[in-house]
Amino acid sequence: MRIGYDGKRAVNNLTGLGNYSRLVVESLARRFPDETLLMYAPAARNNPRLAPLLELPNVELRLPEGNGILSKGAVWRTFSIPRQLRNDRIDLFHGLSNELPLTIRNYGIPSVVTIHDLIYRRLPECYTLPDRLIYDFKYGMSCRIADRIIAISERTKADIVDLYRIDPGKIDVVYQGCADSFKRPAPQHTLKTTREKYRLPKRYVIQVGTIEMRKNLELTVKAMQTLPGDVHLVAVGKDRGYLSRVRKIAAQCGVANRLHILSDVPFSELPALYQQSSAVAYPSRYEGFGIPVLEGLESGKPVVAATGSCLEEAGGEAAFYVNPDNPREMAEALRTALTESPALVSRIAVGKRHASRFNNADVASKMADVYARTLRATGQ
């Protein structure tokens, strides 16, 4: 079988949707070596995370054919890819990041789309009006024209049904896994080098994710003021205009000297940062899945997350959960997570077992099941 993928995020993005796209294609390529997987992207990029994927013998990268307007960027990706898919004899196309080519049905090509979240609907204040309108049109239309939809959590599936009125029978939930590097202890020299490079404090809580309002870093900062003075907060992520607010709050709480901001951290160094932490915080107000929760559990660390979206699915009974607007709850949960005890050791072990459910080989098998169901339903 020849399967086509929207490869834009796999090529361009170093985190988030890029990680998901690469993980899906790599898992399927390794699990089904006789299948041919073609990733379609508007342009090539020197991405170190992509190189190992393209070394697999059954994975290929496809760029736009021709030089006209129909081969340019968003126009090609939204309207023109299906002609190229037909020429490449693609049996099924998978939009990995919320959207499909809007003309794909005209070409009779079976299609699957992964919807990660509808946060722009649930938290509209976190998005500009133009972005909300564009997402609503493209993602809503993709849900309607897809033969099947993959939701990355039950929460996302419920949002698709509620907000876009999609038949739940058309939606499959396939949880994502995390990179295998989080499951293995980092070498001692890597731990030492990383600690020296970032001047990591001896004890710290780590929070990984874009520094924006939705990720709720300020809750963790506010909680810090009642934690022991030797506990620091290391926040890993790019600022999207929210950092100045966070720094102001840190100063007001008297913890500015215990807040460390790390940006542009290579993905390869994240496991070492997690593994040297004392606890993981992820009090995001809304997520599609919450991969940092899973990364924290795989790293063998206690995780504190927020209620209100899907983080309970990622963390199961292993994580601690708090109200995203209650600094006192956050402080109490972190204090428990930072205090060594037999109960905490047991909870960390539960976390490792829970995380093992999100196996990348299982992801590949479940994706293949969705593809088979799609092809049967479309008579292919």
Side-chain angles (χ1 to χ4, degrees):
M1 184 162 64
R2 294 170 66 81
I3 308 169
Y5 294 92
D6 178 359
K8 178 184 176 181
R9 305 297 182 183
V11 171
N12 291 323
N13 293 37
L14 296 176
T15 59
L17 295 178
N19 286 341
Y20 174 83
S21 299
R22 288 184 292 269
L23 188 64
V24 167
V25 175
E26 180 179 2
S27 299
L28 283 159
R30 294 188 184 279
R31 178 71 176 79
F32 303 102
D34 293 333
E35 312 293 358
T36 300
L37 313 184
L38 292 84
M39 296 191 301
Y40 292 80
R45 178 182 172 183
N46 183 20
N47 183 342
R49 302 286 318 285
L50 183 65
L53 183 57
L54 295 180
E55 290 174 359
L56 296 174
N58 57 334
V59 176
E60 302 176 25
L61 178 64
R62 287 285 197 270
L63 301 177
E65 296 175 346
N67 298 309
I69 186 64
L70 294 180
S71 65
K72 303 299 182 184
V75 174
W76 175 75
R77 189 163 170 255
T78 306
F79 299 105
S80 308
I81 286 182
R83 181 176 298 177
Q84 201 164 329
L85 299 178
R86 184 183 60 188
N87 293 340
D88 286 339
R89 295 176 289 108
I90 293 298
D91 297 297
L92 177 143
F93 184 78
H94 186 171
L96 293 166
S97 53
N98 302 308
E99 58 186 294
L100 289 170
L102 299 184
T103 57
I104 195 162
R105 277 199 166 182
N106 298 341
Y107 290 79
I109 299 170
S111 64
V112 174
V113 65
T114 294
I115 300 296
H116 294 263
D117 61 72
L118 301 183
I119 300 173
Y120 53 91
R121 278 288 199 99
R122 293 300 188 193
L123 297 179
E125 66 274 16
C126 295
Y127 298 82
T128 66
L129 178 59
D131 281 347
R132 295 202 310 270
L133 293 174
I134 291 171
Y135 297 158
D136 220 19
F137 172 72
K138 291 202 299 184
Y139 301 172
M141 183 66 73
S142 295
C143 285
R144 288 185 282 273
I145 66 175
D147 291 298
R148 291 205 69 78
I149 299 169
I150 291 174
I152 65 169
S153 67
E154 292 290 347
R155 176 70 267 164
T156 295
K157 177 178 179 177
D159 283 348
I160 295 168
V161 173
D162 179 33
L163 299 173
Y164 285 146
R165 299 291 186 261
I166 300 296
D167 178 359
K170 182 180 175 178
I171 307 170
D172 300 288
V173 174
V174 179
Y175 290 114
Q176 64 186 107
C178 72
D180 289 339
S181 56
F182 292 93
K183 306 173 186 180
R184 301 185 297 264
Q188 284 299 315
H189 72 273
T190 301
L191 296 174
K192 181 175 183 294
T193 301
T194 306
R195 180 169 289 277
E196 292 174 349
K197 176 179 178 179
Y198 296 108
R199 299 179 182 179
L200 297 175
K202 185 175 181 180
R203 296 180 75 200
Y204 64 90
V205 174
I206 188 171
Q207 183 164 331
V208 177
T210 307
I211 301 176
E212 59 183 334
M213 183 176 67
R214 175 170 60 87
K215 301 291 186 181
N216 205 17
L217 178 59
E218 66 181 83
L219 182 74
T220 315
V221 170
K222 290 174 181 176
M224 291 293 295
Q225 61 186 322
T226 61
L227 295 181
D230 67 328
V231 176
H232 291 235
L233 172 58
V234 174
V236 182
K238 290 186 177 181
D239 176 33
R240 288 191 176 172
Y242 178 64
L243 181 56
S244 60
R245 174 180 170 85
V246 170
R247 290 196 185 280
K248 182 178 180 180
I249 292 172
Q252 292 171 344
C253 294
V255 298
N257 63 327
R258 293 158 57 197
L259 174 63
H260 308 263
I261 306 296
L262 307 182
S263 59
D264 299 318
V265 173
F267 185 80
S268 60
E269 294 178 350
L270 277 181
L273 291 176
Y274 273 109
Q275 290 174 27
Q276 294 181 93
S277 71
S278 299
V280 176
Y282 199 62
S284 177
R285 295 183 178 279
Y286 214 90
E287 292 293 328
F289 178 68
I291 197 70
V293 172
L294 192 56
E295 292 169 348
L297 296 179
E298 288 284 22
S299 299
K301 299 299 174 180
V303 176
V304 180
T307 59
S309 61
C310 65
L311 299 183
E312 293 95 335
E313 294 181 60
E317 296 181 356
F320 299 91
Y321 300 101
V322 301
N323 183 318
D325 293 304
N326 194 322
R328 180 183 57 80
E329 279 190 22
M330 186 66 169
E332 290 175 356
L334 284 173
R335 189 175 294 107
T336 301
L338 291 164
T339 303
E340 295 183 8
S341 68
L344 185 64
V345 172
S346 175
R347 196 166 192 132
I348 290 172
V350 169
K352 292 288 284 187
R353 289 196 297 272
H354 174 77
S356 68
R357 297 173 51 207
F358 304 94
N359 185 285
N360 291 332
D362 290 341
V363 171
S365 295
K366 290 175 181 176
M367 288 286 183
D369 288 344
V370 175
Y371 295 168
R373 194 175 301 121
T374 302
L375 292 172
R376 286 196 302 270
T378 56
Q380 301 292 318

